[in-house]
Amino acid sequence: MAFLSSAPCLTTASNEPARWPANAGAPLAQAMPGSQRGVRMDLQIDLRYEIDSYGADFVFNIHAAQTPHQIVHNERLVLSQDIPHQIHTDPATGNRYLRLHGEPGMLELTYSATVDIRHYRADPTQLAEVPVRHLPPHVMGYIYPSRYCQSDRLLRLALNEFGALWQGHSRVQAIRDWVNRHVAFTSNTSNSNTSAVDTLVEQVGVCRDFAHLMIALCRAVNIPARFTTGTDYGADPALGPPDFHAYVEVYLGDRWYLFDPSGTAIPMGLLRFGTGRDAADVAFATIFGGVRAQPPTIHTRAVEDSAQGWVLPHHCAEALSTDQGTSSRACFRLAARRGSTSS
């Protein structure tokens, strides 16, 4: 594909393999049959910004994350300005950040990649909640309140609605369904200051608001939950052109599982850009300076090739994850040893 611009073009390409370590512990839920099937997504994102005379700094989170179950290749980044840039991968989250300084005038950015996702699939009935005392250290941060997910203000509501439910995947699904029923998806009804409590009161919002409310309710009953960004593959065209999408990952058993509280996308077609405590951690673009942005243009196409095991994203009964999993049993053994020592 040709990328046309009146300014010089800077192009970079990458076919970087995933560099995450293999899971050191046995999973707490067995993978379901058919886990070798996967989805292949061709992605292209086009962004345009008009920068004022002082220039501006940008931090983008639009590079697809590399995980053991989500492999990114054939990456290409095209910038219309001949400017230096830096791509950094956060070692804790795997989020990939692009940083650059845009010069005055028009800045056009195109990112494209092929993303292969082979989900870890589990039987939902076998997925248990993990007691707080046994949570891995890197998961602990996702049980506390955060800027947009004030779980401490929703404790009574969460306890009344979900406290008596059977613990495990079914309780998380009940929280997801409750949010989906009580909030109406309506464009242009929230802003960058809208929080989970605001969404609960107004009962309208977009995908970001659904995600914040579900996360807050999960944390209010001590279930770790995090905010995740991707694209809205499978969304009804009546909702508008393809866009970035926010969904939720919840920690059950020994890994993070996907939930889409807005119900607008197909979970199997969700490719991950970033994860964080809430939207403040993983905005697709954070801008420092005077800039006028145009709406993003996003193209996501699923490839069907039965010979290679690639299927079109579809709704399914299994619980899906693109996470590598955690050696939770090792955590349990460590906790047991500490308990026996202290006694």
Side-chain angles (χ1 to χ4, degrees), residues 106-186:
M106 182 62 68
L107 171 65
E108 299 176 348
L109 180 156
T110 294
Y111 170 77
S112 61
T114 298
V115 183
D116 293 343
I117 308 172
R118 295 192 184 273
H119 295 92
Y120 181 91
R121 299 165 180 251
D123 179 353
T125 65
Q126 302 301 308
L127 294 177
E129 295 175 22
V130 181
V132 172
R133 65 187 180 278
H134 291 318
L135 288 173
H138 69 275
V139 177
M140 286 293 297
Y142 299 101
I143 61 172
Y144 298 112
S146 60
R147 175 180 176 183
Y148 294 113
C149 303
Q150 313 102 308
S151 52
D152 53 334
R153 296 182 58 186
L154 301 180
L155 296 175
R156 178 168 295 183
L157 169 65
L159 183 63
N160 290 341
E161 293 287 341
F162 314 111
L165 298 183
W166 186 268
Q167 296 187 10
H169 185 279
S170 60
R171 179 155 76 152
V172 178
Q173 186 66 43
I175 295 173
R176 179 267 173 206
D177 294 345
W178 189 95
V179 172
N180 186 261
R181 288 195 310 270
H182 286 78
V183 181
F185 190 98
T186 310

Side-chain angles (χ1 to χ4, degrees), residues 148 183-200 202-212 227 246 279:
Y148 294 113
V183 181
F185 190 98
T186 310
S187 299
N188 303 314
T189 53
S190 62
N191 56 47
S192 60
N193 294 317
T194 303
S195 70
V197 172
D198 297 325
T199 301
L200 180 65
E202 300 297 332
Q203 298 185 351
V204 293
V206 294
C207 57
R208 171 186 186 274
D209 307 308
F210 283 76
H212 283 153
F227 189 92

Side-chain angles (χ1 to χ4, degrees), residues 4 9 52 55 70 87 101-102 106 134 143 165 226 246 253 255:
L4 304 179
C9 261
D52 70 14
Q70 177 174 291
I87 300 174
H101 176 79
M106 182 62 68
H134 291 318
I143 61 172
L165 298 183
R226 66 187 187 183
R255 70 188 66 222

Side-chain angles (χ1 to χ4, degrees), residues 331-342:
C331 294
F332 295 161
R333 290 194 296 271
L334 178 61
R337 286 198 298 270
R338 286 175 175 169
S340 61
T341 300
S342 61

